[in-house]
Amino acid sequence: MADWLSNAIFYEVYPQSFQDTNADGIGDFKGIIKRLDYIKELGCNAIWMNPCYDSPFMDAGYDVTDYYKVAPRYGTNEDLKELFDEIHKREMHILLDLVPGHTSYQHKWFKESMKAEKNEYTNRYIWTNSIDEFPECLHSIRGFSDRFGTCAVNFYSLQPALNYGYVNANKDYQLSPEHEDCMKTRQEFIDIMKFWLSMGCDGFRVDMAGSLIKKDDEHSTENIKLWNYFMDAIKTEYPDAAMVSEWGEPKKSIAGGFDMDFLLHFGPAGYTSLFRSETPYFSKEGKGDIRVFVEQYKDFYQASKGKGYICIPSGNHDMQRLSKGRDMDELKICFAFLLSMPGVPFIYYGDEIGMKYLDNITSKEGGYYRTGARTPMQWNSSVNAGFSTGTPDSMYIMLDPDKERPTVEKQEKDEWSLLNEVRRLNNLRMKHKALQSDGEIEFVYSEKNTYPFAYIRRNENEKILVVINPSGKDESCTLNIKEANVLYYVQKAAELNQGKLSVPACSATFFQL
Ligand code: GLC
Ligand code: CA
């Protein structure tokens, strides 16, 4: 594991929506550089930036046409290098987004692979020898190549699947993962990773990391093997490179050599039950069940402890924002939890000021329902909330039209704003190693359909009890701990008297044990 992850707190920057510096309505690298001090003052020391490579942007850049060159709308490769340098000057780190499962249909490899004549790229993608729909995929690309065949897609229909082979390949078009052409696909991605690592990038967030080897890889055995191969190739030369997967199954991804894996809104229900189900645990309504999360988390935690980290994101560019259905007080309690869990926290840009999810806005670049979580960052009260000096109708995605929309400027002035709460919680984590990535966790109170819930974080030197009550009612419970001093609280402190814990509505309390 990369050492620097032991106290990392990440901030996800969606580059097109963060800060524009040339008034074209789209964020850019220079804008991110301008806002690095803000991210640092928030208490984040690492950044994950969504894809910034050349692309026709039919899936917001997850459809790459050149993995070695950045999209001109963000700047040049030199500008990106400058961003790396500015980040390192501030003792921060940055992960780029790697998209190894598919390219844009406009990538030159794909154009070559569409040709009837056999060439170096014929097997770079997965093609059948018939023009029928692709047998194992919901969608396929067919009808516009000279080549007689149909190509598998990995996500949208314009994202052809790269070829890493099949488990038990048994049809004429299926190659084994060790086939020399599949090995060439691997080698290309090793070269791509090394290209950016040598320029100063600190690692990668890997898109759809569990999707590379196709068919019936029931226990992901072949995918795990493939990732170990990648990790060996990268980590011998770059031992400090950090890798986080969009996989959602830490047992598998961490066995594949990833340093960290996200809990996600798809796959097992644990993450969804916290924030995004019909009756989420984190709501004043108080109808959630923490057991759904705790049981899944414990299982993942035991399997990954000491080998890799679980990341619980506040949100990301693919889901509705955390603020959907929550007021600022409820959001503070969400962050008290997110920033006191083991593993590595990820804050999605704008969540720290409670930016709204905009329902039903026009889709942009393949965003669809995700577009409402990708609107421009709200910095201040100037035109376009300080995101851009372009005309309002030239904005990449519309801004939240609410006159009362939250901004960094307003919240900086208010000691009790969400922004200042997030800063304090980040500082608290930074001050106490027990609260950081490696501090152990023990759930001491987590009953079915019950509020509050409580856990102890600890290391060799310190023990901290965290009591979280998202519900809108005062609650109480009994613990095996007689008394303790309050170290920090959000909203109103809980009280511990002879083992009886009284917990105010919508509060979080940290006790020093
Ligand atoms: C991942 C990305 C998402 C993208 C998809 C296809 O889920 O997070 O934004 O559309 O992969 O690359
Ligand atoms: Ca711009």
Side-chain angles (χ1 to χ4, degrees), residues 59 62 99 102 155-156 159 205 207-208 246 266 317-318 370 374:
D59 184 13
Y62 284 96
V99 191
H102 48 269
F155 193 67
Y156 286 147
Q159 287 161 311
R205 175 267 187 184
D207 189 64
M208 294 177 69
E246 184 199 33
F266 50 82
H317 60 291
D318 290 332
R370 306 175 295 184
R374 298 174 174 186

Side-chain angles (χ1 to χ4, degrees), residues 146-434:
D146 294 345
R147 176 177 184 164
F148 196 99
T150 296
C151 184
V153 306
N154 220 32
F155 193 67
Y156 286 147
S157 49
L158 298 172
Q159 287 161 311
L162 286 159
N163 199 353
Y164 295 90
Y166 277 77
V167 179
N168 303 322
N170 57 18
K171 296 204 178 120
D172 57 354
Y173 63 86
Q174 297 177 346
L175 307 181
S176 83
E178 286 79 31
H179 187 281
E180 64 172 320
D181 290 337
C182 298
M183 294 305 279
K184 280 193 195 145
T185 314
R186 290 189 193 194
Q187 190 52 48
E188 187 75 50
F189 276 89
I190 291 171
D191 294 346
I192 291 165
M193 286 191 266
K194 289 191 175 172
F195 177 80
W196 295 110
L197 290 168
S198 72
M199 195 188 274
C201 149
D202 299 298
F204 298 91
R205 175 267 187 184
V206 178
D207 189 64
M208 294 177 69
S211 78
L212 305 191
I213 303 273
K214 302 300 184 212
K215 210 181 84 180
D216 300 339
D217 188 10
E218 208 196 330
H219 303 291
S220 303
T221 321
E222 283 296 323
N223 247 309
I224 291 170
K225 259 208 258 167
L226 172 64
W227 278 107
N228 278 307
Y229 181 91
F230 278 135
M231 298 299 176
D232 285 348
I234 294 302
K235 295 237 170 176
T236 37
E237 213 172 312
Y238 297 96
D240 279 342
M243 302 287 285
V244 58
S245 44
E246 184 199 33
W247 196 321
E249 294 178 77
K251 285 182 176 173
K252 295 178 177 175
S253 48
I254 286 166
F258 278 96
D259 301 86
M260 340 176 236
D261 191 17
F262 286 112
L263 296 192
L264 291 161
H265 54 303
F266 50 82
Y271 179 72
T272 310
S273 75
L274 294 173
F275 305 119
R276 290 177 171 82
S277 64
E278 296 244 306
T279 53
Y281 190 73
F282 282 84
S283 163
K284 276 185 180 160
E285 297 229 313
K287 293 193 185 133
D289 183 4
I290 196 63
R291 291 304 305 168
V292 182
F293 167 76
V294 171
E295 265 151 42
Q296 181 196 307
Y297 188 86
K298 272 187 173 168
D299 178 36
F300 287 173
Y301 177 73
Q302 284 312 329
S304 57
K305 203 167 122 190
K307 299 181 215 141
Y309 299 119
I310 298 169
C311 306
I312 313 180
S314 72
N316 69 26
H317 60 291
D318 290 332
M319 46 178 132
Q320 295 187 336
R321 279 198 183 266
L322 190 63
S323 64
K324 171 106 179 156
R326 289 192 180 86
D327 63 25
M328 290 291 184
D329 290 348
E330 289 174 296
L331 290 172
K332 289 177 190 170
I333 306 308
C334 296
F335 277 104
F337 163 76
L338 288 165
L339 297 171
S340 65
M341 287 296 283
V344 180
F346 276 69
I347 300 176
Y348 182 49
Y349 85 94
D351 280 354
E352 75 279 19
I353 54 168
M355 267 174 64
K356 288 277 162 301
Y357 171 77
L358 299 195
D359 270 308
N360 298 320
I361 62 171
T362 308
S363 176
K364 183 73 182 182
E365 296 182 344
Y368 300 99
Y369 68 88
R370 306 175 295 184
T371 311
R374 298 174 174 186
T375 59
M377 179 67 182
Q378 295 154 201
W379 297 104
N380 55 42
S381 57
S382 64
V383 63
N384 304 315
F387 162 67
S388 166
T389 54
T391 57
D393 59 1
S394 68
M395 291 305 101
Y396 165 78
I397 296 175
M398 70 181 280
L399 277 111
D400 179 354
D402 186 352
K403 283 206 185 62
E404 298 299 312
R405 65 189 171 205
T407 64
V408 169
E409 184 184 54
K410 264 190 265 177
Q411 294 200 13
E412 277 185 331
K413 291 184 195 138
D414 172 6
E415 191 186 345
W416 302 111
S417 66
L418 179 60
L419 175 64
N420 278 321
E421 191 57 67
V422 173
R423 284 179 176 166
R424 287 192 291 268
L425 287 162
N426 276 341
N427 283 337
L428 185 72
R429 187 177 176 100
M430 281 307 181
K431 259 198 236 133
H432 297 275
K433 262 197 148 325

Side-chain angles (χ1 to χ4, degrees), residues 112-113 115-123 147 179 181:
E112 287 298 309
S113 88
K115 291 183 176 162
E117 312 79 52
K118 202 168 168 16
N119 62 56
E120 204 188 327
Y121 299 101
T122 299
N123 287 329
R147 176 177 184 164
H179 187 281
D181 290 337

